[in-house]
PDB file of all heavy atoms in Angstrom:
ATOM      1  N   ASN A  37      -2.630  72.250  -7.478  1.00 98.00           N
ATOM      2  CA  ASN A  37      -1.962  71.347  -8.426  1.00 98.00           C
ATOM      3  C   ASN A  37      -2.847  70.127  -8.725  1.00 98.00           C
ATOM      4  O   ASN A  37      -2.356  69.003  -8.861  1.00 98.00           O
ATOM      5  CB  ASN A  37      -0.590  70.906  -7.910  1.00 98.00           C
ATOM      6  CG  ASN A  37       0.471  71.977  -8.123  1.00 98.00           C
ATOM      7  OD1 ASN A  37       0.196  73.040  -8.677  1.00 98.00           O
ATOM      8  ND2 ASN A  37       1.683  71.710  -7.675  1.00 98.00           N
ATOM      9  N   LYS A  61       1.361  60.298  -0.437  1.00 94.00           N
ATOM     10  CA  LYS A  61       1.920  59.140  -1.140  1.00 94.00           C
ATOM     11  C   LYS A  61       1.620  59.189  -2.639  1.00 94.00           C
ATOM     12  O   LYS A  61       2.379  58.671  -3.454  1.00 94.00           O
ATOM     13  CB  LYS A  61       1.341  57.846  -0.565  1.00 94.00           C
ATOM     14  CG  LYS A  61       1.811  57.514   0.839  1.00 94.00           C
ATOM     15  CD  LYS A  61       1.120  56.258   1.353  1.00 94.00           C
ATOM     16  CE  LYS A  61       1.486  55.943   2.787  1.00 94.00           C
ATOM     17  NZ  LYS A  61       0.745  54.753   3.300  1.00 94.00           N
ATOM     18  N   ILE A  62       0.502  59.806  -3.006  1.00 95.00           N
ATOM     19  CA  ILE A  62       0.048  59.811  -4.393  1.00 95.00           C
ATOM     20  C   ILE A  62       0.583  61.015  -5.162  1.00 95.00           C
ATOM     21  O   ILE A  62       0.932  60.901  -6.334  1.00 95.00           O
ATOM     22  CB  ILE A  62      -1.500  59.797  -4.453  1.00 95.00           C
ATOM     23  CG1 ILE A  62      -2.043  58.494  -3.865  1.00 95.00           C
ATOM     24  CG2 ILE A  62      -2.002  59.991  -5.888  1.00 95.00           C
ATOM     25  CD1 ILE A  62      -3.552  58.485  -3.696  1.00 95.00           C
ATOM     26  N   LEU A  63       0.649  62.168  -4.521  1.00 97.00           N
ATOM     27  CA  LEU A  63       0.923  63.424  -5.211  1.00 97.00           C
ATOM     28  C   LEU A  63       2.408  63.647  -5.466  1.00 97.00           C
ATOM     29  O   LEU A  63       3.265  63.099  -4.776  1.00 97.00           O
ATOM     30  CB  LEU A  63       0.371  64.593  -4.392  1.00 97.00           C
ATOM     31  CG  LEU A  63      -1.119  64.542  -4.059  1.00 97.00           C
ATOM     32  CD1 LEU A  63      -1.500  65.731  -3.191  1.00 97.00           C
ATOM     33  CD2 LEU A  63      -1.965  64.499  -5.325  1.00 97.00           C
ATOM     34  N   ALA A  64       2.686  64.495  -6.479  1.00 97.00           N
ATOM     35  CA  ALA A  64       4.061  64.920  -6.772  1.00 97.00           C
ATOM     36  C   ALA A  64       4.412  66.022  -5.777  1.00 97.00           C
ATOM     37  O   ALA A  64       4.328  67.218  -6.068  1.00 97.00           O
ATOM     38  CB  ALA A  64       4.165  65.421  -8.207  1.00 97.00           C
ATOM     39  N   HIS A  92      -9.470  64.417  -7.946  1.00 93.00           N
ATOM     40  CA  HIS A  92      -9.007  63.136  -7.412  1.00 93.00           C
ATOM     41  C   HIS A  92      -7.852  62.648  -8.286  1.00 93.00           C
ATOM     42  O   HIS A  92      -8.073  62.130  -9.388  1.00 93.00           O
ATOM     43  CB  HIS A  92     -10.138  62.105  -7.420  1.00 93.00           C
ATOM     44  CG  HIS A  92     -11.321  62.532  -6.613  1.00 93.00           C
ATOM     45  ND1 HIS A  92     -12.577  61.992  -6.781  1.00 93.00           N
ATOM     46  CD2 HIS A  92     -11.447  63.455  -5.631  1.00 93.00           C
ATOM     47  CE1 HIS A  92     -13.412  62.556  -5.938  1.00 93.00           C
ATOM     48  NE2 HIS A  92     -12.757  63.455  -5.233  1.00 93.00           N
ATOM     49  N   VAL A  93      -6.637  62.827  -7.820  1.00 96.00           N
ATOM     50  CA  VAL A  93      -5.459  62.452  -8.608  1.00 96.00           C
ATOM     51  C   VAL A  93      -5.342  60.935  -8.661  1.00 96.00           C
ATOM     52  O   VAL A  93      -5.378  60.263  -7.633  1.00 96.00           O
ATOM     53  CB  VAL A  93      -4.187  63.083  -8.009  1.00 96.00           C
ATOM     54  CG1 VAL A  93      -2.934  62.570  -8.715  1.00 96.00           C
ATOM     55  CG2 VAL A  93      -4.272  64.599  -8.087  1.00 96.00           C
ATOM     56  N   ASP A  94      -5.243  60.397  -9.885  1.00 94.00           N
ATOM     57  CA  ASP A  94      -5.147  58.946 -10.071  1.00 94.00           C
ATOM     58  C   ASP A  94      -3.737  58.431  -9.857  1.00 94.00           C
ATOM     59  O   ASP A  94      -3.523  57.385  -9.244  1.00 94.00           O
ATOM     60  CB  ASP A  94      -5.592  58.564 -11.489  1.00 94.00           C
ATOM     61  CG  ASP A  94      -7.063  58.816 -11.723  1.00 94.00           C
ATOM     62  OD1 ASP A  94      -7.879  58.365 -10.903  1.00 94.00           O
ATOM     63  OD2 ASP A  94      -7.397  59.477 -12.729  1.00 94.00           O
ATOM     64  N   CYS A  95      -2.762  59.150 -10.408  1.00 96.00           N
ATOM     65  CA  CYS A  95      -1.386  58.652 -10.401  1.00 96.00           C
ATOM     66  C   CYS A  95      -0.447  59.776 -10.800  1.00 96.00           C
ATOM     67  O   CYS A  95      -0.897  60.881 -11.149  1.00 96.00           O
ATOM     68  CB  CYS A  95      -1.238  57.474 -11.375  1.00 96.00           C
ATOM     69  SG  CYS A  95      -1.571  57.923 -13.106  1.00 96.00           S
ATOM     70  N   LEU A  96       0.831  59.490 -10.784  1.00 98.00           N
ATOM     71  CA  LEU A  96       1.829  60.433 -11.269  1.00 98.00           C
ATOM     72  C   LEU A  96       2.170  60.126 -12.716  1.00 98.00           C
ATOM     73  O   LEU A  96       2.249  58.972 -13.129  1.00 98.00           O
ATOM     74  CB  LEU A  96       3.106  60.358 -10.432  1.00 98.00           C
ATOM     75  CG  LEU A  96       3.020  60.808  -8.981  1.00 98.00           C
ATOM     76  CD1 LEU A  96       4.414  60.783  -8.356  1.00 98.00           C
ATOM     77  CD2 LEU A  96       2.405  62.176  -8.860  1.00 98.00           C
ATOM     78  N   GLY A  97       2.366  61.185 -13.478  1.00 98.00           N
ATOM     79  CA  GLY A  97       2.890  61.057 -14.823  1.00 98.00           C
ATOM     80  C   GLY A  97       4.297  61.633 -14.851  1.00 98.00           C
ATOM     81  O   GLY A  97       4.705  62.344 -13.927  1.00 98.00           O
ATOM     82  N   THR A  98       5.032  61.347 -15.916  1.00 98.00           N
ATOM     83  CA  THR A  98       6.393  61.871 -16.075  1.00 98.00           C
ATOM     84  C   THR A  98       6.521  62.496 -17.455  1.00 98.00           C
ATOM     85  O   THR A  98       6.156  61.871 -18.464  1.00 98.00           O
ATOM     86  CB  THR A  98       7.436  60.749 -15.936  1.00 98.00           C
ATOM     87  OG1 THR A  98       7.272  60.105 -14.669  1.00 98.00           O
ATOM     88  CG2 THR A  98       8.855  61.314 -16.030  1.00 98.00           C
ATOM     89  N   VAL A 113       3.785  62.592 -22.134  1.00 98.00           N
ATOM     90  CA  VAL A 113       3.721  62.249 -20.717  1.00 98.00           C
ATOM     91  C   VAL A 113       3.516  60.745 -20.589  1.00 98.00           C
ATOM     92  O   VAL A 113       2.591  60.182 -21.182  1.00 98.00           O
ATOM     93  CB  VAL A 113       2.560  62.990 -20.029  1.00 98.00           C
ATOM     94  CG1 VAL A 113       2.558  62.694 -18.535  1.00 98.00           C
ATOM     95  CG2 VAL A 113       2.634  64.496 -20.286  1.00 98.00           C
ATOM     96  N   SER A 114       4.384  60.086 -19.824  1.00 98.00           N
ATOM     97  CA  SER A 114       4.210  58.659 -19.564  1.00 98.00           C
ATOM     98  C   SER A 114       3.429  58.486 -18.265  1.00 98.00           C
ATOM     99  O   SER A 114       3.397  59.386 -17.418  1.00 98.00           O
ATOM    100  CB  SER A 114       5.560  57.945 -19.465  1.00 98.00           C
ATOM    101  OG  SER A 114       6.267  58.386 -18.315  1.00 98.00           O
ATOM    102  N   LEU A 115       2.803  57.325 -18.108  1.00 97.00           N
ATOM    103  CA  LEU A 115       2.029  57.035 -16.904  1.00 97.00           C
ATOM    104  C   LEU A 115       2.022  55.537 -16.679  1.00 97.00           C
ATOM    105  O   LEU A 115       2.332  54.755 -17.591  1.00 97.00           O
ATOM    106  CB  LEU A 115       0.602  57.570 -17.025  1.00 97.00           C
ATOM    107  CG  LEU A 115      -0.409  56.822 -17.909  1.00 97.00           C
ATOM    108  CD1 LEU A 115      -1.820  57.352 -17.629  1.00 97.00           C
ATOM    109  CD2 LEU A 115      -0.086  56.923 -19.374  1.00 97.00           C
ATOM    110  N   PRO A 116       1.686  55.082 -15.454  1.00 96.00           N
ATOM    111  CA  PRO A 116       1.619  53.645 -15.210  1.00 96.00           C
ATOM    112  C   PRO A 116       0.657  52.971 -16.173  1.00 96.00           C
ATOM    113  O   PRO A 116      -0.425  53.499 -16.469  1.00 96.00           O
ATOM    114  CB  PRO A 116       1.105  53.565 -13.765  1.00 96.00           C
ATOM    115  CG  PRO A 116       1.527  54.854 -13.148  1.00 96.00           C
ATOM    116  CD  PRO A 116       1.417  55.875 -14.241  1.00 96.00           C
ATOM    117  N   LYS A 117       1.047  51.809 -16.670  1.00 92.00           N
ATOM    118  CA  LYS A 117       0.288  51.136 -17.719  1.00 92.00           C
ATOM    119  C   LYS A 117      -1.159  50.854 -17.322  1.00 92.00           C
ATOM    120  O   LYS A 117      -2.063  50.898 -18.156  1.00 92.00           O
ATOM    121  CB  LYS A 117       0.981  49.824 -18.105  1.00 92.00           C
ATOM    122  CG  LYS A 117       0.494  49.244 -19.429  1.00 92.00           C
ATOM    123  CD  LYS A 117       1.364  48.103 -19.885  1.00 92.00           C
ATOM    124  CE  LYS A 117       0.913  47.566 -21.240  1.00 92.00           C
ATOM    125  NZ  LYS A 117       1.045  48.579 -22.303  1.00 92.00           N
ATOM    126  N   GLU A 118      -1.410  50.598 -16.018  1.00 91.00           N
ATOM    127  CA  GLU A 118      -2.773  50.263 -15.607  1.00 91.00           C
ATOM    128  C   GLU A 118      -3.738  51.435 -15.752  1.00 91.00           C
ATOM    129  O   GLU A 118      -4.959  51.243 -15.746  1.00 91.00           O
ATOM    130  CB  GLU A 118      -2.793  49.750 -14.166  1.00 91.00           C
ATOM    131  CG  GLU A 118      -2.323  50.729 -13.116  1.00 91.00           C
ATOM    132  CD  GLU A 118      -0.854  50.575 -12.779  1.00 91.00           C
ATOM    133  OE1 GLU A 118      -0.075  50.183 -13.680  1.00 91.00           O
ATOM    134  OE2 GLU A 118      -0.482  50.839 -11.620  1.00 91.00           O
ATOM    135  N   TYR A 119      -3.203  52.656 -15.908  1.00 93.00           N
ATOM    136  CA  TYR A 119      -4.072  53.823 -16.080  1.00 93.00           C
ATOM    137  C   TYR A 119      -4.202  54.254 -17.540  1.00 93.00           C
ATOM    138  O   TYR A 119      -5.020  55.110 -17.869  1.00 93.00           O
ATOM    139  CB  TYR A 119      -3.551  55.000 -15.254  1.00 93.00           C
ATOM    140  CG  TYR A 119      -3.682  54.774 -13.771  1.00 93.00           C
ATOM    141  CD1 TYR A 119      -2.585  54.325 -13.023  1.00 93.00           C
ATOM    142  CD2 TYR A 119      -4.881  54.987 -13.106  1.00 93.00           C
ATOM    143  CE1 TYR A 119      -2.693  54.097 -11.661  1.00 93.00           C
ATOM    144  CE2 TYR A 119      -4.997  54.759 -11.744  1.00 93.00           C
ATOM    145  CZ  TYR A 119      -3.904  54.310 -11.029  1.00 93.00           C
ATOM    146  OH  TYR A 119      -4.025  54.093  -9.686  1.00 93.00           O
ATOM    147  N   SER A 120      -3.396  53.665 -18.418  1.00 90.00           N
ATOM    148  CA  SER A 120      -3.402  54.101 -19.819  1.00 90.00           C
ATOM    149  C   SER A 120      -4.729  53.802 -20.516  1.00 90.00           C
ATOM    150  O   SER A 120      -5.087  54.465 -21.489  1.00 90.00           O
ATOM    151  CB  SER A 120      -2.248  53.453 -20.588  1.00 90.00           C
ATOM    152  OG  SER A 120      -2.364  52.042 -20.584  1.00 90.00           O
ATOM    153  N   TYR A 122      -7.525  54.554 -19.565  1.00 89.00           N
ATOM    154  CA  TYR A 122      -8.433  55.676 -19.358  1.00 89.00           C
ATOM    155  C   TYR A 122      -8.071  56.902 -20.193  1.00 89.00           C
ATOM    156  O   TYR A 122      -8.731  57.932 -20.094  1.00 89.00           O
ATOM    157  CB  TYR A 122      -8.452  56.084 -17.880  1.00 89.00           C
ATOM    158  CG  TYR A 122      -8.838  54.976 -16.940  1.00 89.00           C
ATOM    159  CD1 TYR A 122      -8.055  54.696 -15.816  1.00 89.00           C
ATOM    160  CD2 TYR A 122      -9.975  54.204 -17.152  1.00 89.00           C
ATOM    161  CE1 TYR A 122      -8.399  53.678 -14.942  1.00 89.00           C
ATOM    162  CE2 TYR A 122     -10.320  53.186 -16.284  1.00 89.00           C
ATOM    163  CZ  TYR A 122      -9.532  52.927 -15.184  1.00 89.00           C
ATOM    164  OH  TYR A 122      -9.876  51.926 -14.319  1.00 89.00           O
ATOM    165  N   ILE A 123      -7.004  56.808 -20.977  1.00 92.00           N
ATOM    166  CA  ILE A 123      -6.576  57.930 -21.808  1.00 92.00           C
ATOM    167  C   ILE A 123      -7.217  57.783 -23.184  1.00 92.00           C
ATOM    168  O   ILE A 123      -6.967  56.812 -23.900  1.00 92.00           O
ATOM    169  CB  ILE A 123      -5.042  57.987 -21.942  1.00 92.00           C
ATOM    170  CG1 ILE A 123      -4.383  57.931 -20.560  1.00 92.00           C
ATOM    171  CG2 ILE A 123      -4.621  59.241 -22.696  1.00 92.00           C
ATOM    172  CD1 ILE A 123      -4.729  59.074 -19.654  1.00 92.00           C
ATOM    173  N   ILE A 129      -7.681  65.275 -20.007  1.00 95.00           N
ATOM    174  CA  ILE A 129      -6.736  64.839 -18.981  1.00 95.00           C
ATOM    175  C   ILE A 129      -6.382  66.063 -18.150  1.00 95.00           C
ATOM    176  O   ILE A 129      -6.264  67.166 -18.698  1.00 95.00           O
ATOM    177  CB  ILE A 129      -5.449  64.214 -19.599  1.00 95.00           C
ATOM    178  CG1 ILE A 129      -4.520  63.639 -18.521  1.00 95.00           C
ATOM    179  CG2 ILE A 129      -4.692  65.215 -20.449  1.00 95.00           C
ATOM    180  CD1 ILE A 129      -4.899  62.280 -18.054  1.00 95.00           C
ATOM    181  N   ALA A 130      -6.273  65.920 -16.849  1.00 96.00           N
ATOM    182  CA  ALA A 130      -5.869  67.046 -16.003  1.00 96.00           C
ATOM    183  C   ALA A 130      -4.431  66.828 -15.559  1.00 96.00           C
ATOM    184  O   ALA A 130      -4.109  65.803 -14.954  1.00 96.00           O
ATOM    185  CB  ALA A 130      -6.788  67.182 -14.792  1.00 96.00           C
ATOM    186  N   ILE A 131      -3.570  67.784 -15.895  1.00 97.00           N
ATOM    187  CA  ILE A 131      -2.149  67.749 -15.530  1.00 97.00           C
ATOM    188  C   ILE A 131      -1.921  68.804 -14.462  1.00 97.00           C
ATOM    189  O   ILE A 131      -2.040  70.002 -14.735  1.00 97.00           O
ATOM    190  CB  ILE A 131      -1.246  68.064 -16.750  1.00 97.00           C
ATOM    191  CG1 ILE A 131      -1.576  67.170 -17.942  1.00 97.00           C
ATOM    192  CG2 ILE A 131       0.231  67.985 -16.364  1.00 97.00           C
ATOM    193  CD1 ILE A 131      -1.132  65.759 -17.815  1.00 97.00           C
ATOM    194  N   ASP A 132      -1.630  68.380 -13.227  1.00 98.00           N
ATOM    195  CA  ASP A 132      -1.496  69.330 -12.120  1.00 98.00           C
ATOM    196  C   ASP A 132      -2.682  70.284 -12.080  1.00 98.00           C
ATOM    197  O   ASP A 132      -2.534  71.485 -11.794  1.00 98.00           O
ATOM    198  CB  ASP A 132      -0.180  70.115 -12.209  1.00 98.00           C
ATOM    199  CG  ASP A 132       1.004  69.331 -11.661  1.00 98.00           C
ATOM    200  OD1 ASP A 132       0.778  68.342 -10.931  1.00 98.00           O
ATOM    201  OD2 ASP A 132       2.160  69.705 -11.965  1.00 98.00           O
ATOM    202  N   PHE A 146       1.084  59.567 -23.649  1.00 97.00           N
ATOM    203  CA  PHE A 146       0.172  60.325 -24.522  1.00 97.00           C
ATOM    204  C   PHE A 146       0.823  61.660 -24.864  1.00 97.00           C
ATOM    205  O   PHE A 146       1.749  62.115 -24.182  1.00 97.00           O
ATOM    206  CB  PHE A 146      -1.189  60.533 -23.858  1.00 97.00           C
ATOM    207  CG  PHE A 146      -1.131  61.206 -22.508  1.00 97.00           C
ATOM    208  CD1 PHE A 146      -1.220  62.584 -22.391  1.00 97.00           C
ATOM    209  CD2 PHE A 146      -0.966  60.449 -21.356  1.00 97.00           C
ATOM    210  CE1 PHE A 146      -1.162  63.199 -21.151  1.00 97.00           C
ATOM    211  CE2 PHE A 146      -0.908  61.058 -20.106  1.00 97.00           C
ATOM    212  CZ  PHE A 146      -1.008  62.427 -20.011  1.00 97.00           C
ATOM    213  N   LYS A 168       7.801  65.189 -12.627  1.00 98.00           N
ATOM    214  CA  LYS A 168       6.628  64.411 -12.229  1.00 98.00           C
ATOM    215  C   LYS A 168       5.428  65.347 -12.105  1.00 98.00           C
ATOM    216  O   LYS A 168       5.554  66.476 -11.607  1.00 98.00           O
ATOM    217  CB  LYS A 168       6.860  63.726 -10.883  1.00 98.00           C
ATOM    218  CG  LYS A 168       8.061  62.793 -10.844  1.00 98.00           C
ATOM    219  CD  LYS A 168       7.809  61.533 -11.620  1.00 98.00           C
ATOM    220  CE  LYS A 168       8.979  60.552 -11.469  1.00 98.00           C
ATOM    221  NZ  LYS A 168       8.795  59.336 -12.289  1.00 98.00           N
ATOM    222  N   VAL A 169       4.262  64.884 -12.537  1.00 98.00           N
ATOM    223  CA  VAL A 169       3.047  65.695 -12.485  1.00 98.00           C
ATOM    224  C   VAL A 169       1.883  64.859 -11.976  1.00 98.00           C
ATOM    225  O   VAL A 169       1.844  63.637 -12.151  1.00 98.00           O
ATOM    226  CB  VAL A 169       2.700  66.292 -13.869  1.00 98.00           C
ATOM    227  CG1 VAL A 169       3.721  67.339 -14.284  1.00 98.00           C
ATOM    228  CG2 VAL A 169       2.601  65.199 -14.938  1.00 98.00           C
ATOM    229  N   ASN A 170       0.923  65.530 -11.337  1.00 98.00           N
ATOM    230  CA  ASN A 170      -0.304  64.871 -10.895  1.00 98.00           C
ATOM    231  C   ASN A 170      -1.229  64.666 -12.092  1.00 98.00           C
ATOM    232  O   ASN A 170      -1.473  65.603 -12.855  1.00 98.00           O
ATOM    233  CB  ASN A 170      -1.034  65.727  -9.854  1.00 98.00           C
ATOM    234  CG  ASN A 170      -0.234  65.924  -8.587  1.00 98.00           C
ATOM    235  OD1 ASN A 170       0.601  65.094  -8.235  1.00 98.00           O
ATOM    236  ND2 ASN A 170      -0.486  67.021  -7.887  1.00 98.00           N
ATOM    237  N   LEU A 171      -1.749  63.447 -12.236  1.00 98.00           N
ATOM    238  CA  LEU A 171      -2.657  63.137 -13.343  1.00 98.00           C
ATOM    239  C   LEU A 171      -4.033  62.752 -12.827  1.00 98.00           C
ATOM    240  O   LEU A 171      -4.166  61.940 -11.917  1.00 98.00           O
ATOM    241  CB  LEU A 171      -2.133  61.960 -14.174  1.00 98.00           C
ATOM    242  CG  LEU A 171      -0.832  62.122 -14.946  1.00 98.00           C
ATOM    243  CD1 LEU A 171      -0.595  60.875 -15.799  1.00 98.00           C
ATOM    244  CD2 LEU A 171      -0.847  63.355 -15.822  1.00 98.00           C
ATOM    245  N   GLU A 172      -5.053  63.350 -13.421  1.00 96.00           N
ATOM    246  CA  GLU A 172      -6.427  62.878 -13.227  1.00 96.00           C
ATOM    247  C   GLU A 172      -6.979  62.512 -14.600  1.00 96.00           C
ATOM    248  O   GLU A 172      -7.075  63.372 -15.478  1.00 96.00           O
ATOM    249  CB  GLU A 172      -7.319  63.937 -12.583  1.00 96.00           C
ATOM    250  CG  GLU A 172      -8.744  63.429 -12.388  1.00 96.00           C
ATOM    251  CD  GLU A 172      -9.693  64.448 -11.778  1.00 96.00           C
ATOM    252  OE1 GLU A 172      -9.220  65.369 -11.083  1.00 96.00           O
ATOM    253  OE2 GLU A 172     -10.916  64.314 -11.993  1.00 96.00           O
ATOM    254  N   THR A 173      -7.308  61.252 -14.786  1.00 93.00           N
ATOM    255  CA  THR A 173      -7.774  60.785 -16.090  1.00 93.00           C
ATOM    256  C   THR A 173      -9.223  61.189 -16.340  1.00 93.00           C
ATOM    257  O   THR A 173      -9.914  61.684 -15.448  1.00 93.00           O
ATOM    258  CB  THR A 173      -7.628  59.256 -16.192  1.00 93.00           C
ATOM    259  OG1 THR A 173      -8.357  58.642 -15.119  1.00 93.00           O
ATOM    260  CG2 THR A 173      -6.167  58.838 -16.103  1.00 93.00           C
ATOM    261  N   ARG A 178     -13.296  56.483 -17.092  1.00 72.00           N
ATOM    262  CA  ARG A 178     -13.263  55.614 -15.914  1.00 72.00           C
ATOM    263  C   ARG A 178     -14.623  54.977 -15.674  1.00 72.00           C
ATOM    264  O   ARG A 178     -14.720  53.771 -15.391  1.00 72.00           O
ATOM    265  CB  ARG A 178     -12.826  56.410 -14.671  1.00 72.00           C
ATOM    266  CG  ARG A 178     -11.415  56.947 -14.745  1.00 72.00           C
ATOM    267  CD  ARG A 178     -10.896  57.343 -13.371  1.00 72.00           C
ATOM    268  NE  ARG A 178     -11.747  58.286 -12.673  1.00 72.00           N
ATOM    269  CZ  ARG A 178     -11.663  59.615 -12.775  1.00 72.00           C
ATOM    270  NH1 ARG A 178     -10.745  60.152 -13.577  1.00 72.00           N
ATOM    271  NH2 ARG A 178     -12.461  60.404 -12.095  1.00 72.00           N
TER     272      ARG A 178
END
Side-chain angles (χ1 to χ4, degrees):
N37 281 359
K61 290 177 184 177
I62 295 171
L63 303 177
H92 301 160
V93 173
D94 293 309
C95 62
L96 293 185
T98 303
V113 184
S114 67
L115 75 167
K117 196 170 183 63
E118 62 266 31
Y119 292 98
S120 61
Y122 303 130
I123 309 298
I129 185 82
I131 307 287
D132 279 343
F146 56 91
K168 302 288 185 184
V169 292
N170 297 333
L171 295 186
E172 180 181 336
T173 57
R178 296 197 305 272

